[in-house]
Amino acid sequence: MSLTVQTEQRADVVVVSVAGELDMATAPRLQDQITDLLEKGRTRLVFDLAEVSFCDSTGLSVFVRAKNSTDEAGGVVRLAAPQRGVLRILEVSGLVEVLRTYPTVDEAVTAQEPALD
Amino acid sequence: MTGPSVAPWATSAPGANSGAGLAGGLGPAAPERLRVLLVEDDEGDAFLVRELLAEASAPFDLAVATSLREARQRLAGVHCVLLDLGLPDAQGFDGLRQLLAVAGSAAVCVLTGRFDEPLGVAAVAEGAQDYLVKGQVDGTLLSRSLRYAVERKRADENARKLREVELRQAESARLERGLLPQPLMDTELVRVHTFYRTGRAQGLLGGDFFDVVQTAPDRLHLIVGDVCGHSVDEAALGVELRVAWRALVLGRVPEEQVLPAVEQVLMSERRSREVFATVATVTVDLVTNRALVRLAGHPPPVLLVGGRAAPVAARGGIVLGVRPTPTPVTEVELGTDDWSLLMYTDGLIEGRVAPGARERLDVPGLCGLLAEPESHQVPLPALPGWLVGRAEQGNGGPLADDVAMLVLTRGGGR
């Protein structure tokens, strides 16, 4: 299965646009990109999931790992525009409570952090 | 006089080689053309080796590296390395060890000086396939030694690979016993059918697990879980969680404290912090036909009763290992004395609904399969296998992930 990952700086965040199916075969590719960004000191990340048609638990663990790393560095991870199926796995896993999820990329980019997470 | 005496030989050599190639081509089994990398800083010695191979009319492609550093860059595709133990950038065994470390599937032979034969013997003990003493080698011996070294290396490699596969299979079998135990129950009021199938992605197990424990004549505890990730580490962690759960249940730890304790085990034993697990647990009261259901990031069990199949309406909580929170509990009415509860891991519902389709089976699709008239004809013990078969049919091939299933059945079962 194919997966493409593109990044773009917008305001004070990096928008990581993911397209394709995020599973155990493709998740390492996204992980590599995230590792790259973190090494460059980019710790405010918005994942645009509009083109992600599927995400399994390995895919979820990539976001959890990104959240752990950016938390430590004082950054943020936000998810944007998940399709129905991906939103469902975020809900079933309960991770929607931890990985802040927004209906659109614009909302995710401009969102204000609550004082306490 | 050296120049003129060498020149005719040099021009005749290609002819000798092509002659050998022709003869080899006509033979029943032409010897394979071997690529040899000579690591030698002495031009004279390098010349000698080339001459010896030509003399034997042997089908070799010889390349020469004058240092260990150069050799490291030219190893790709090489069948055999011939290493001079007297190289300037790696005297003696240091050089040999460095080369063995990067040689991969290439055989390694060493060249020693005339008075250093014990070095050659020690080099073989160190891992080289053979040694040759300069000045005591003719073309036939050199070409035969190189060829044997390559064959010996291949045999060693095959034996090593076979051993690796055997070890992996033994480990897999051991983990499988740990992940998929015999139910611990003696009631005859209900029956349990278990099922497990590894995913197509790897022969090894994932971290799916299940268990069944009876703690009183009327009380049965079940769990199905999945550790995210697909390496031996996750499978081993799955075993730990399953055993921890069994111990906590057998130890009569209050029910609401069991999953928090399992979560603590997960968080203290996991390899890295992003590893989480999903679990569904069910405690069945066999007198009242009621169940307490807890879902930690896990899809809901499906209840088969009154000819229908539907997910139990239980509130779900977050996966274990990310943000420790008590998992919500929901009391579910199982109904009459004829019902089945199907517990499964997400591998079952992640297949495509049709070959090439984007949409996945998910819980509604699973219930759709169970609503098909054909499914009612399938005996309950065979139902998990039938479901996987139908899921694979829709998927257009084997499911990617592991599937673990438990069917708990009472009376007629549906």
Side-chain angles (χ1 to χ4, degrees):
Chain A
M1 281 309 126
S2 65
L3 184 87
T4 62
V5 185
Q6 290 179 324
T7 60
E8 183 200 357
Q9 182 80 36
R10 272 183 64 182
D12 64 340
V13 302
V14 176
V15 176
V16 184
S17 300
V18 190
E21 300 186 341
L22 197 49
D23 56 22
M24 63 182 128
T26 61
R29 220 168 305 158
L30 177 59
Q31 183 58 57
D32 288 348
Q33 287 272 354
I34 295 172
T35 306
D36 253 21
L37 287 167
L38 294 176
E39 274 170 8
K40 290 179 192 150
R42 307 296 167 83
T43 59
R44 299 178 66 78
L45 309 176
V46 167
F47 291 92
D48 178 357
L49 305 181
E51 298 298 321
V52 175
S53 57
F54 175 72
C55 176
D56 72 358
S57 60
T58 312
L60 290 178
S61 73
V62 172
F63 296 122
V64 171
R65 182 168 172 187
K67 161 96 176 136
N68 289 340
S69 310
T70 57
D71 276 358
E72 270 169 14
V76 292
V77 161
R78 298 177 192 144
L79 307 185
Q83 293 181 18
R84 192 169 48 94
V86 174
L87 183 60
R88 211 184 115 65
I89 188 169
L90 283 165
E91 286 168 352
V92 169
S93 64
L95 289 170
V96 74
E97 292 172 27
V98 175
L99 300 164
R100 295 185 174 284
T101 305
Y102 299 83
T104 66
V105 174
D106 284 344
E107 285 167 86
V109 169
T110 58
Q112 297 297 312
E113 291 306 303
L116 272 175
D117 188 27
Chain B
M1 287 305 286
T2 319
S5 72
V6 166
W9 173 83
T11 49
S12 70
N17 265 340
S18 64
L22 187 62
L26 293 172
E32 178 190 9
R33 196 167 184 88
L34 294 184
R35 283 187 292 277
V36 177
L37 178 64
L38 171 65
V39 191
E40 172 65 82
D41 65 320
D42 184 316
E43 272 179 46
D45 284 350
F47 175 82
L48 190 70
V49 168
R50 196 178 289 280
E51 192 176 356
L52 288 172
L53 287 178
E55 170 194 312
S57 306
F60 290 98
D61 287 326
L62 184 70
V64 182
T66 55
S67 68
L68 206 59
R69 193 188 320 161
E70 189 189 342
R72 273 198 289 266
Q73 289 159 4
R74 299 180 62 174
L75 277 172
V78 166
H79 294 110
C80 185
V81 181
L82 193 52
L83 171 72
D84 183 351
L85 281 182
L87 277 190
D89 68 339
Q91 282 288 329
F93 275 29
D94 266 358
L96 174 63
R97 286 186 192 123
Q98 287 177 44
L99 189 70
L100 286 170
V102 296
S105 59
V108 176
C109 287
V110 300
L111 281 171
T112 69
R114 199 179 299 245
F115 306 105
D116 295 331
E117 194 164 342
L119 262 187
V121 176
V124 170
E126 201 60 42
Q129 269 66 45
D130 203 353
Y131 72 95
L132 295 157
V133 181
K134 285 181 192 172
Q136 295 181 4
V137 189
D138 63 13
T140 311
L141 179 59
L142 175 61
S143 71
R144 194 193 297 153
S145 290
L146 292 176
R147 202 162 280 287
Y148 282 4
V150 169
E151 292 308 326
R152 204 172 308 138
K153 176 73 178 183
R154 281 183 186 155
D156 288 353
E157 280 284 290
N158 287 341
R160 188 182 59 76
K161 281 183 190 153
L162 187 65
R163 178 82 187 123
E164 247 172 42
V165 168
E166 283 170 356
L167 281 174
R168 233 188 349 221
Q169 282 170 349
E171 184 175 29
S172 213
R174 207 160 41 237
L175 287 169
E176 191 164 326
R177 281 195 299 277
L179 290 164
L180 318 166
Q182 280 300 313
L184 199 62
M185 58 185 277
D186 58 13
T187 178
E188 286 175 2
L189 295 172
V190 288
R191 278 152 292 144
V192 170
H193 308 293
T194 62
F195 180 92
Y196 185 81
R197 164 87 60 91
T198 53
R200 100 182 147 220
Q202 63 285 308
L204 274 179
L205 294 169
D208 292 19
F209 61 92
F210 57 64
D211 204 357
V212 181
V213 172
Q214 186 180 0
T215 54
D218 58 351
R219 214 160 176 74
L220 202 60
H221 308 255
L222 301 92
I223 188 169
V224 166
D226 188 358
V227 180
C228 74
H230 299 88
S231 74
V232 177
D233 289 324
E234 281 78 44
L237 188 53
V239 175
E240 290 183 60
L241 298 186
R242 205 265 314 156
V243 172
W245 178 85
R246 180 177 268 210
L248 291 159
V249 170
L250 284 175
R252 307 296 195 275
V253 168
E255 235 179 85
E256 67 281 3
Q257 292 173 22
V258 170
L259 286 185
V262 170
E263 183 164 37
Q264 269 187 295
V265 172
L266 167 70
M267 294 175 80
S268 56
E269 300 290 330
R270 64 186 165 187
R271 165 180 57 96
S272 56
R273 274 192 316 154
E274 73 273 12
V275 173
F276 60 78
T278 72
V279 300
T281 67
V282 175
T283 310
V284 181
D285 184 325
L286 294 172
V287 172
T288 62
N289 274 321
R290 296 171 80 85
L292 295 176
V293 178
R294 289 179 172 83
L295 304 176
H298 202 93
V302 171
L303 181 63
L304 287 74
V305 67
R308 259 181 261 236
V312 302
R315 200 152 71 85
I318 190 169
V319 297
L320 303 183
V322 172
R323 178 183 288 176
T325 317
T327 305
V329 58
T330 307
E331 188 167 8
V332 173
E333 190 83 48
L334 299 171
T336 64
D337 276 342
D338 298 291
W339 50 262
S340 291
L341 200 59
L342 171 68
M343 300 172 74
Y344 53 91
T345 52
D346 57 8
L348 177 63
I349 57 170
E350 283 181 350
R352 296 167 201 283
V353 291
R358 280 190 166 190
E359 199 189 329
R360 307 297 174 130
L361 196 60
D362 213 335
V363 182
L366 174 61
C367 293
L369 292 179
L370 289 165
E372 287 181 10
E374 190 190 333
S375 96
H376 299 285
Q377 309 305 318
V378 180
L380 285 165
L383 192 62
W386 180 83
L387 281 172
V388 165
R390 288 303 311 270
E392 287 183 334
Q393 207 177 318
N395 194 46
L399 298 168
D401 206 352
D402 297 17
V403 180
M405 265 188 267
L406 271 182
V407 183
L408 176 68
T409 288
R410 181 157 202 174
R414 48 193 158 181

